[in-house]
Amino acid sequence: MSSPEHKQKIWEMIKDIKVGMLVTLDGDMPRARPMHLVQEAYDGTLWFYTRRSAEKVSETDQDHDVCLTFSEQEKGVYVSLSGTAQITDNPALIEKYWNPFIAAWFPEGKDDPDVALLEIKVEMGEHWMAKESKAFQLYEFAKANIKHTTPNIGENEKFGG
């Protein structure tokens, strides 16, 4: 778990990226697909709309452990979050997070029995943030190759677990 300050830091990193890759297990093989954040704040739980009939639902029923990755290469932001997933059809939550973007994916509306939310409780993660420009990063890579060291291109932090 992480502190409220760290949760805010993670939210600042991912809130504008909006789309993360959700990794589940399809049998023994990892499988990833894009998922769009629907919330306006982060408290340790991430919310995504899904169809109850989607394969990711049966995959998370079989194994609740999931991983989400977010990246923004231009800003040098990379985030990996691991946790547990469960499906909910709580009408109050469906109403709370419903928006025109989501409505486009669910033409039958929020009362469609196939509409559900995927709730992911984040338990651990890691993030990387480049601290300088791409030119500085290239310099660090070149320097590391010459000196046989590891480049210092920014912040890296693990949490939870």
Side-chain angles (χ1 to χ4, degrees), residues 90-143:
N90 179 318
L93 289 172
I94 289 173
E95 178 68 33
K96 177 180 179 179
Y97 295 121
W98 193 261
N99 64 57
F101 176 82
I102 297 303
W105 289 97
F106 296 94
E108 301 298 317
K110 57 188 153 198
D111 296 325
D112 181 342
D114 204 28
V115 171
L117 282 166
L118 182 64
E119 173 187 17
I120 299 176
K121 293 189 180 291
V122 175
E123 297 173 10
M124 61 185 280
E126 187 168 5
H127 64 81
W128 300 260
M129 275 186 16
K131 64 181 178 184
E132 301 288 344
S133 68
K134 297 287 181 209
F136 177 82
Q137 292 175 35
L138 290 173
Y139 165 76
E140 282 292 314
F141 286 125
K143 182 174 80 172

Side-chain angles (χ1 to χ4, degrees), residues 48-91:
F48 303 92
Y49 277 90
T50 187
R51 293 191 180 284
R52 184 176 296 288
S53 59
E55 291 173 325
K56 68 183 148 295
V57 172
S58 60
E59 292 164 7
T60 57
D61 283 345
Q62 295 292 317
D63 187 337
H64 296 288
D65 294 331
V66 297
C67 180
L68 273 161
T69 62
F70 295 86
S71 68
E72 175 58 68
Q73 189 173 10
E74 290 301 312
K75 294 181 180 176
V77 174
Y78 305 92
V79 179
S80 175
L81 304 170
S82 298
T84 56
Q86 68 178 28
I87 298 301
T88 182
D89 57 5
N90 179 318

